Structures are given as structure tokens and as C-alpha cells.
Amino acid sequence: MKTLIIALTSIITLSINLNAQEQIKIDPKTSIIHWKGSMVFSFGGHEGTVKFNTGKVLKSNGKLSGGKLYYRHE
């Protein structure tokens, strides 16, 4: 009986935590990352842009906590 109660409590706790995350779909037209990298012991570097096709980010307790982003090759 104790095992059943512990198992049910765990399932309820997990479902509450999963529901606390908000999923936000990204807008491919406005979701762009511009990055810039530099070399530590040199005067060179790179930069680029990543544009996305689809994706979503997870927000938990007011902070980004994860997500999946799919970018397009250009």
C-alpha cells in the first residue's frame, strides 16, 4: 500500500511540474540569432546569423528552461 501511495504521489508531482512549463512557439520571421566569436590569442574572429524555420521554447518560473529550434540552411 505504501508503494502505491508513493507511486501516485510521484506521478501527481511530475504532472504538476510538467504543466508549470509554458511552451512558446517562435515566429520564424522575427526569430534570428546573430553571433560573434573571437580568438583568445589572435586578432581574428567570425560572425554569422542563424534564422529559424520552426521551434518552441519552454519557460518555467519566468525563465527560459529549454526548447527545440530548427534552423534553415542558406
Side-chain angles (χ1 to χ4, degrees):
M1 186 66 176
K2 287 183 182 180
T3 306
L4 179 61
I5 292 173
I6 291 172
L8 288 174
T9 304
S10 298
I11 292 170
I12 291 170
T13 303
L14 283 173
S15 66
I16 289 171
N17 286 338
L18 290 175
N19 289 334
Q21 291 183 342
E22 179 184 1
Q23 292 186 11
I24 304 167
K25 284 185 75 172
I26 66 164
D27 180 9
K29 295 177 184 173
T30 60
S31 299
I32 299 171
I33 294 177
H34 184 76
W35 60 271
K36 185 174 185 177
S38 60
M39 297 179 203
V40 177
F41 299 109
S42 178
F43 295 106
H46 331 282
E47 61 182 82
T49 303
V50 180
K51 297 179 181 177
F52 298 100
N53 278 340
T54 62
K56 62 183 173 184
V57 293
L58 299 175
K59 188 176 175 183
S60 180
N61 298 324
K63 297 180 180 180
L64 292 180
S65 60
K68 290 187 178 185
L69 302 170
Y70 301 96
Y71 66 94
R72 60 181 175 228
H73 302 277
E74 291 185 0

Coordinates of all heavy atoms in Angstrom, one line a residue:
M1 N 0.8 -1.2 0.0 CA 0.0 0.0 0.0 C 0.9 1.3 0.0 O 0.6 2.2 -0.7 CB -0.9 0.0 1.2 CG -1.9 1.1 1.2 SD -3.1 0.9 -0.2 CE -4.2 2.2 0.1
K2 N 2.0 1.2 0.8 CA 2.8 2.4 0.8 C 3.5 2.6 -0.5 O 3.6 3.8 -0.9 CB 4.0 2.2 1.9 CG 3.5 2.3 3.3 CD 4.7 2.1 4.3 CE 4.2 2.2 5.7 NZ 5.3 2.1 6.6
T3 N 3.8 1.6 -1.2 CA 4.4 1.7 -2.5 C 3.4 2.4 -3.5 O 3.8 3.2 -4.3 CB 4.8 0.3 -3.1 OG1 5.7 -0.3 -2.1 CG2 5.6 0.4 -4.4
L4 N 2.2 2.0 -3.4 CA 1.2 2.6 -4.3 C 1.0 4.1 -4.0 O 0.9 4.9 -4.9 CB -0.2 1.8 -4.1 CG -1.3 2.3 -4.9 CD1 -1.0 2.2 -6.4 CD2 -2.6 1.6 -4.6
I5 N 1.0 4.4 -2.8 CA 0.8 5.8 -2.4 C 2.1 6.7 -2.9 O 1.9 7.7 -3.4 CB 0.6 6.0 -0.9 CG1 -0.7 5.4 -0.5 CG2 0.8 7.4 -0.4 CD1 -1.0 5.3 1.0
I6 N 3.2 6.1 -2.7 CA 4.5 6.8 -3.1 C 4.4 6.9 -4.7 O 4.8 8.0 -5.2 CB 5.7 6.0 -2.7 CG1 5.8 6.2 -1.1 CG2 7.0 6.6 -3.3 CD1 6.9 5.3 -0.5
A7 N 4.0 5.9 -5.4 CA 4.0 6.0 -6.8 C 3.0 7.0 -7.3 O 3.3 7.8 -8.2 CB 3.6 4.6 -7.4
L8 N 1.8 7.0 -6.7 CA 0.8 8.0 -7.1 C 1.2 9.4 -6.8 O 1.0 10.4 -7.6 CB -0.5 7.7 -6.4 CG -1.3 6.5 -6.9 CD1 -2.5 6.2 -6.1 CD2 -1.7 6.6 -8.4
T9 N 1.9 9.6 -5.6 CA 2.4 10.9 -5.3 C 3.4 11.4 -6.3 O 3.4 12.6 -6.7 CB 3.0 10.9 -3.8 OG1 2.0 10.4 -2.9 CG2 3.4 12.3 -3.4
S10 N 4.3 10.5 -6.7 CA 5.3 10.8 -7.7 C 4.7 11.2 -9.0 O 5.1 12.2 -9.6 CB 6.3 9.7 -7.9 OG 6.9 9.4 -6.7
I11 N 3.7 10.5 -9.5 CA 3.1 10.8 -10.7 C 2.4 12.2 -10.7 O 2.5 13.0 -11.6 CB 2.1 9.7 -11.1 CG1 2.9 8.4 -11.4 CG2 1.2 10.1 -12.3 CD1 2.0 7.2 -11.6
I12 N 1.7 12.4 -9.6 CA 1.0 13.7 -9.5 C 2.0 14.9 -9.4 O 1.8 15.9 -10.1 CB 0.1 13.7 -8.2 CG1 -1.1 12.7 -8.4 CG2 -0.4 15.1 -7.9 CD1 -1.9 12.5 -7.2
T13 N 3.1 14.7 -8.7 CA 4.1 15.7 -8.6 C 4.8 16.0 -10.0 O 4.9 17.1 -10.4 CB 5.2 15.3 -7.6 OG1 4.6 15.1 -6.3 CG2 6.3 16.4 -7.5
L14 N 5.1 14.9 -10.7 CA 5.6 15.1 -12.1 C 4.7 15.8 -13.0 O 5.1 16.7 -13.8 CB 6.0 13.7 -12.6 CG 7.3 13.1 -12.1 CD1 7.5 11.7 -12.7 CD2 8.5 14.0 -12.4
S15 N 3.4 15.5 -13.0 CA 2.4 16.1 -13.8 C 2.2 17.6 -13.5 O 2.1 18.4 -14.4 CB 1.1 15.3 -13.8 OG 0.5 15.4 -12.6
I16 N 2.3 17.9 -12.2 CA 2.2 19.3 -11.8 C 3.4 20.1 -12.3 O 3.3 21.2 -12.9 CB 2.1 19.4 -10.3 CG1 0.7 18.9 -9.9 CG2 2.3 20.9 -9.9 CD1 0.5 18.8 -8.4
N17 N 4.6 19.5 -12.2 CA 5.8 20.2 -12.7 C 5.8 20.3 -14.2 O 6.3 21.3 -14.7 CB 7.1 19.4 -12.2 CG 7.4 19.6 -10.8 OD1 6.9 20.6 -10.2 ND2 8.1 18.7 -10.2
L18 N 5.3 19.3 -14.9 CA 5.3 19.4 -16.4 C 4.3 20.5 -16.8 O 4.5 21.2 -17.8 CB 4.9 18.1 -17.0 CG 6.0 17.0 -16.9 CD1 5.5 15.7 -17.4 CD2 7.3 17.4 -17.6
N19 N 3.2 20.6 -16.1 CA 2.2 21.6 -16.5 C 2.6 23.0 -16.2 O 2.1 24.0 -16.7 CB 0.9 21.3 -15.8 CG 0.2 20.1 -16.4 OD1 0.5 19.7 -17.6 ND2 -0.6 19.4 -15.7
A20 N 3.6 23.2 -15.3 CA 4.1 24.5 -14.9 C 4.9 25.1 -15.9 O 5.2 26.3 -15.9 CB 4.9 24.4 -13.6
Q21 N 5.4 24.4 -16.9 CA 6.2 24.9 -18.0 C 5.3 25.5 -19.1 O 4.3 24.8 -19.5 CB 7.1 23.8 -18.6 CG 8.2 23.4 -17.7 CD 9.1 22.4 -18.4 OE1 8.8 21.8 -19.3 NE2 10.3 22.3 -17.8
E22 N 5.6 26.6 -19.6 CA 4.8 27.3 -20.7 C 5.6 27.1 -22.0 O 6.8 27.3 -22.0 CB 4.7 28.7 -20.4 CG 3.9 29.5 -21.4 CD 3.9 31.0 -21.2 OE1 4.4 31.4 -20.2 OE2 3.3 31.7 -22.0
Q23 N 4.9 26.6 -23.0 CA 5.5 26.4 -24.3 C 5.2 27.6 -25.2 O 4.0 28.0 -25.3 CB 5.0 25.1 -25.0 CG 5.5 23.9 -24.3 CD 5.0 22.6 -25.1 OE1 4.6 22.8 -26.3 NE2 5.2 21.5 -24.5
I24 N 6.2 28.2 -25.8 CA 6.0 29.4 -26.6 C 6.6 29.1 -28.0 O 7.8 28.8 -28.2 CB 6.8 30.6 -26.0 CG1 6.3 30.8 -24.6 CG2 6.6 31.8 -26.9 CD1 7.2 31.8 -23.8
K25 N 5.7 29.1 -29.0 CA 6.2 28.9 -30.4 C 6.9 30.2 -30.8 O 6.6 31.3 -30.5 CB 5.0 28.7 -31.3 CG 4.4 27.3 -31.2 CD 3.3 27.1 -32.2 CE 3.9 27.0 -33.6 NZ 2.9 26.6 -34.6
I26 N 8.0 29.9 -31.6 CA 8.7 31.1 -32.1 C 8.1 31.6 -33.5 O 7.5 30.8 -34.2 CB 10.2 30.7 -32.3 CG1 10.4 29.7 -33.4 CG2 10.9 30.3 -31.0 CD1 11.8 29.6 -33.9
D27 N 8.3 32.8 -33.8 CA 7.9 33.4 -35.1 C 9.2 33.4 -36.0 O 10.1 34.1 -35.7 CB 7.4 34.8 -34.9 CG 7.0 35.5 -36.1 OD1 6.9 34.8 -37.2 OD2 6.7 36.7 -36.1
P28 N 9.1 32.6 -37.0 CA 10.3 32.4 -37.9 C 10.7 33.7 -38.6 O 11.9 33.9 -38.9 CB 9.9 31.4 -39.0 CG 8.7 30.8 -38.5 CD 8.1 31.7 -37.5
K29 N 9.8 34.7 -38.7 CA 10.2 35.9 -39.4 C 11.0 36.9 -38.5 O 11.8 37.7 -39.0 CB 8.9 36.6 -39.9 CG 8.2 35.9 -40.9 CD 6.9 36.6 -41.3 CE 6.1 35.8 -42.3 NZ 4.8 36.3 -42.6
T30 N 10.8 36.7 -37.2 CA 11.5 37.6 -36.3 C 12.5 37.0 -35.4 O 13.2 37.6 -34.6 CB 10.4 38.4 -35.4 OG1 9.7 37.4 -34.6 CG2 9.5 39.2 -36.2
S31 N 12.6 35.6 -35.4 CA 13.5 34.9 -34.5 C 14.8 34.7 -35.2 O 15.0 33.8 -36.0 CB 12.9 33.6 -34.1 OG 11.6 33.8 -33.5
I32 N 15.8 35.5 -34.9 CA 17.1 35.5 -35.5 C 18.1 35.6 -34.4 O 18.0 36.4 -33.5 CB 17.3 36.6 -36.5 CG1 16.3 36.5 -37.7 CG2 18.7 36.7 -37.1 CD1 16.2 37.7 -38.6
I33 N 19.2 34.8 -34.5 CA 20.3 35.0 -33.6 C 21.5 35.4 -34.4 O 21.9 34.8 -35.4 CB 20.7 33.6 -32.9 CG1 19.5 33.2 -32.0 CG2 22.0 33.8 -32.1 CD1 19.7 31.9 -31.3
H34 N 22.1 36.5 -34.0 CA 23.4 37.0 -34.6 C 24.5 36.7 -33.6 O 24.4 37.1 -32.4 CB 23.3 38.5 -34.9 CG 24.5 39.0 -35.6 ND1 24.7 38.7 -36.9 CD2 25.6 39.6 -35.2 CE1 25.9 39.3 -37.3 NE2 26.5 39.8 -36.2
W35 N 25.5 36.0 -34.0 CA 26.6 35.6 -33.1 C 27.9 36.1 -33.6 O 28.1 36.4 -34.8 CB 26.6 34.1 -33.0 CG 26.9 33.3 -34.2 CD1 26.0 32.9 -35.1 CD2 28.2 33.0 -34.8 NE1 26.6 32.3 -36.2 CE2 27.9 32.3 -36.0 CE3 29.5 33.2 -34.4 CZ2 28.9 31.8 -36.8 CZ3 30.5 32.7 -35.2 CH2 30.2 32.0 -36.4
K36 N 28.8 36.3 -32.7 CA 30.2 36.7 -33.0 C 31.2 36.0 -32.1 O 31.0 35.9 -30.9 CB 30.3 38.2 -32.7 CG 31.6 38.8 -33.1 CD 31.5 40.4 -33.0 CE 32.8 41.0 -33.5 NZ 32.8 42.4 -33.5
G37 N 32.2 35.4 -32.7 CA 33.2 34.7 -32.0 C 34.6 35.3 -32.2 O 34.8 35.9 -33.2
S38 N 35.4 35.3 -31.2 CA 36.8 35.8 -31.3 C 37.8 34.8 -30.8 O 37.5 33.9 -30.1 CB 36.9 37.1 -30.5 OG 36.6 36.9 -29.2
M39 N 39.0 35.0 -31.3 CA 40.1 34.1 -30.9 C 40.8 34.7 -29.7 O 41.1 35.9 -29.7 CB 41.0 33.9 -32.1 CG 40.3 33.2 -33.2 SD 41.5 33.0 -34.6 CE 40.4 32.8 -35.9
V40 N 41.2 33.9 -28.7 CA 41.7 34.4 -27.5 C 43.1 35.0 -27.7 O 43.4 36.2 -27.3 CB 41.8 33.3 -26.4 CG1 42.5 33.8 -25.2 CG2 40.5 32.7 -26.1
F41 N 44.0 34.4 -28.4 CA 45.4 34.9 -28.6 C 45.7 35.4 -30.0 O 46.8 35.3 -30.5 CB 46.4 33.8 -28.2 CG 46.2 33.3 -26.8 CD1 45.7 32.1 -26.5 CD2 46.6 34.2 -25.8 CE1 45.6 31.7 -25.2 CE2 46.5 33.8 -24.4 CZ 46.0 32.6 -24.1
S42 N 44.6 35.9 -30.7 CA 44.8 36.3 -32.0 C 43.9 37.5 -32.3 O 43.0 37.8 -31.4 CB 44.4 35.2 -33.0 OG 44.5 35.6 -34.3
F43 N 44.0 38.2 -33.4 CA 43.2 39.3 -33.7 C 42.1 39.0 -34.7 O 41.5 39.8 -35.3 CB 44.0 40.5 -34.2 CG 45.0 41.0 -33.2 CD1 46.3 40.8 -33.3 CD2 44.5 41.8 -32.2 CE1 47.2 41.3 -32.4 CE2 45.4 42.3 -31.2 CZ 46.7 42.0 -31.3
G44 N 41.8 37.7 -34.9 CA 40.8 37.3 -35.8 C 39.5 36.9 -35.1 O 39.4 37.0 -33.9
G45 N 38.5 36.6 -35.9 CA 37.2 36.2 -35.4 C 36.2 35.8 -36.5 O 36.6 35.9 -37.7
H46 N 35.1 35.5 -36.1 CA 34.0 35.1 -37.1 C 32.7 35.7 -36.6 O 32.6 36.0 -35.4 CB 33.7 33.6 -37.2 CG 34.9 32.7 -37.0 ND1 35.8 32.5 -37.9 CD2 35.2 31.9 -35.9 CE1 36.7 31.6 -37.4 NE2 36.3 31.3 -36.2
E47 N 31.7 35.8 -37.5 CA 30.4 36.2 -37.0 C 29.4 35.6 -38.0 O 29.8 35.2 -39.1 CB 30.2 37.7 -36.9 CG 30.4 38.5 -38.1 CD 30.3 40.0 -37.9 OE1 31.2 40.6 -37.4 OE2 29.2 40.5 -38.1
G48 N 28.2 35.5 -37.6 CA 27.2 34.9 -38.5 C 25.8 35.1 -38.0 O 25.6 35.7 -36.9
T49 N 24.8 34.6 -38.7 CA 23.4 34.7 -38.3 C 22.7 33.4 -38.5 O 23.0 32.6 -39.4 CB 22.7 35.8 -39.3 OG1 23.4 37.0 -39.2 CG2 21.3 36.0 -38.9
V50 N 21.8 33.1 -37.6 CA 21.1 31.9 -37.6 C 19.6 32.3 -37.7 O 19.1 33.0 -36.8 CB 21.3 31.0 -36.4 CG1 20.4 29.7 -36.5 CG2 22.7 30.6 -36.2
K51 N 18.9 31.8 -38.8 CA 17.5 32.1 -38.9 C 16.7 30.7 -38.7 O 17.2 29.7 -39.1 CB 17.2 32.6 -40.3 CG 17.8 34.0 -40.5 CD 17.5 34.5 -41.9 CE 18.2 35.9 -42.1 NZ 18.0 36.4 -43.4
F52 N 15.6 30.8 -38.1 CA 14.9 29.6 -37.8 C 13.6 29.3 -38.6 O 13.0 30.2 -39.1 CB 14.4 29.6 -36.3 CG 15.6 29.7 -35.4 CD1 16.0 30.9 -34.8 CD2 16.3 28.6 -35.0 CE1 17.1 31.0 -34.0 CE2 17.4 28.7 -34.2 CZ 17.8 29.9 -33.7
N53 N 13.3 28.0 -38.9 CA 12.1 27.6 -39.6 C 11.0 27.5 -38.6 O 9.9 28.0 -38.8 CB 12.3 26.3 -40.3 CG 13.0 26.4 -41.6 OD1 13.0 27.5 -42.2 ND2 13.6 25.3 -42.1
T54 N 11.2 26.7 -37.6 CA 10.2 26.4 -36.6 C 10.8 26.2 -35.2 O 12.1 26.1 -35.2 CB 9.4 25.1 -36.9 OG1 10.3 24.0 -36.9 CG2 8.6 25.2 -38.2
G55 N 10.0 26.1 -34.2 CA 10.6 25.7 -32.9 C 9.7 26.3 -31.8 O 8.7 27.0 -32.0
K56 N 10.1 25.9 -30.6 CA 9.4 26.4 -29.4 C 10.4 26.5 -28.3 O 11.4 25.8 -28.3 CB 8.2 25.5 -29.0 CG 8.6 24.1 -28.7 CD 7.4 23.2 -28.4 CE 7.8 21.8 -28.3 NZ 6.7 20.9 -28.1
V57 N 10.2 27.3 -27.3 CA 11.0 27.4 -26.1 C 10.1 27.2 -24.9 O 8.9 27.4 -25.0 CB 11.7 28.8 -26.0 CG1 12.7 29.0 -27.1 CG2 10.7 29.9 -26.0
L58 N 10.7 26.6 -23.9 CA 10.0 26.4 -22.7 C 10.3 27.4 -21.6 O 11.5 27.8 -21.4 CB 10.4 25.0 -22.1 CG 10.1 23.8 -23.0 CD1 10.6 22.5 -22.4 CD2 8.6 23.7 -23.3
K59 N 9.3 27.9 -21.0 CA 9.5 28.9 -19.9 C 9.0 28.3 -18.6 O 7.9 27.8 -18.6 CB 8.7 30.2 -20.3 CG 9.0 31.4 -19.5 CD 8.2 32.5 -20.1 CE 8.3 33.7 -19.2 NZ 7.5 34.9 -19.7
S60 N 9.8 28.4 -17.6 CA 9.4 27.9 -16.3 C 9.8 28.9 -15.2 O 11.0 29.3 -15.2 CB 10.1 26.5 -16.1 OG 9.8 26.0 -14.8
N61 N 8.9 29.3 -14.4 CA 9.1 30.3 -13.3 C 9.7 31.6 -13.9 O 10.6 32.2 -13.3 CB 10.1 29.7 -12.2 CG 9.4 28.5 -11.6 OD1 8.2 28.4 -11.3 ND2 10.3 27.5 -11.2
G62 N 9.2 32.0 -15.0 CA 9.6 33.3 -15.6 C 11.0 33.2 -16.3 O 11.5 34.3 -16.7
K63 N 11.6 32.1 -16.5 CA 12.9 32.0 -17.1 C 12.9 30.9 -18.2 O 12.1 29.9 -18.1 CB 14.0 31.6 -16.1 CG 14.2 32.6 -15.0 CD 15.3 32.2 -14.1 CE 15.5 33.2 -13.0 NZ 16.5 32.8 -12.0
L64 N 13.7 31.1 -19.2 CA 13.8 30.1 -20.3 C 14.4 28.8 -19.7 O 15.4 28.9 -19.0 CB 14.6 30.5 -21.5 CG 14.0 31.7 -22.3 CD1 15.0 32.1 -23.4 CD2 12.7 31.3 -22.8
S65 N 13.8 27.7 -19.9 CA 14.3 26.4 -19.3 C 14.6 25.4 -20.4 O 15.1 24.3 -20.0 CB 13.3 25.9 -18.3 OG 12.1 25.6 -18.9
G66 N 14.4 25.6 -21.6 CA 14.7 24.6 -22.7 C 13.9 24.9 -23.9 O 13.4 26.0 -24.1
G67 N 13.9 24.0 -24.9 CA 13.2 24.2 -26.1 C 13.9 23.4 -27.2 O 14.9 22.8 -27.1
K68 N 13.3 23.5 -28.4 CA 13.8 23.0 -29.6 C 13.7 24.0 -30.7 O 12.6 24.5 -30.9 CB 13.1 21.7 -30.0 CG 13.4 20.5 -29.1 CD 12.7 19.3 -29.6 CE 13.1 18.1 -28.7 NZ 12.6 16.9 -29.2
L69 N 14.8 24.3 -31.4 CA 14.8 25.2 -32.5 C 15.3 24.5 -33.8 O 16.3 23.8 -33.7 CB 15.6 26.4 -32.2 CG 15.2 27.2 -30.9 CD1 16.3 28.2 -30.5 CD2 13.9 27.9 -31.1
Y70 N 14.7 24.7 -34.9 CA 15.1 24.2 -36.2 C 15.4 25.3 -37.1 O 14.6 26.2 -37.4 CB 14.0 23.3 -36.7 CG 13.6 22.2 -35.8 CD1 12.5 22.3 -34.9 CD2 14.3 21.0 -35.8 CE1 12.1 21.3 -34.1 CE2 14.0 20.0 -34.9 CZ 12.9 20.2 -34.0 OH 12.5 19.2 -33.2
Y71 N 16.7 25.3 -37.6 CA 17.1 26.4 -38.4 C 17.1 26.1 -39.9 O 17.1 24.9 -40.2 CB 18.5 26.9 -38.0 CG 19.6 25.8 -38.2 CD1 20.4 25.9 -39.4 CD2 19.9 24.9 -37.3 CE1 21.4 25.0 -39.6 CE2 20.9 23.9 -37.5 CZ 21.6 24.0 -38.7 OH 22.6 23.1 -38.9
R72 N 17.2 27.1 -40.7 CA 17.2 26.8 -42.1 C 18.6 27.1 -42.7 O 19.3 28.0 -42.2 CB 16.1 27.7 -42.8 CG 16.3 29.2 -42.6 CD 15.2 29.9 -43.4 NE 15.3 31.3 -43.1 CZ 14.3 32.1 -42.7 NH1 13.1 31.6 -42.6 NH2 14.5 33.4 -42.5
H73 N 18.9 26.3 -43.7 CA 20.2 26.4 -44.3 C 20.1 27.4 -45.4 O 19.2 27.3 -46.2 CB 20.7 25.1 -44.9 CG 20.8 24.0 -43.8 ND1 21.9 23.8 -43.0 CD2 19.9 23.0 -43.5 CE1 21.7 22.8 -42.2 NE2 20.5 22.3 -42.5
E74 N 21.1 28.3 -45.5 CA 21.1 29.3 -46.6 C 22.4 29.4 -47.2 O 23.4 29.1 -46.6 CB 20.7 30.7 -46.1 CG 19.2 30.7 -45.7 CD 18.7 32.1 -45.3 OE1 19.5 33.1 -45.3 OE2 17.6 32.2 -45.0

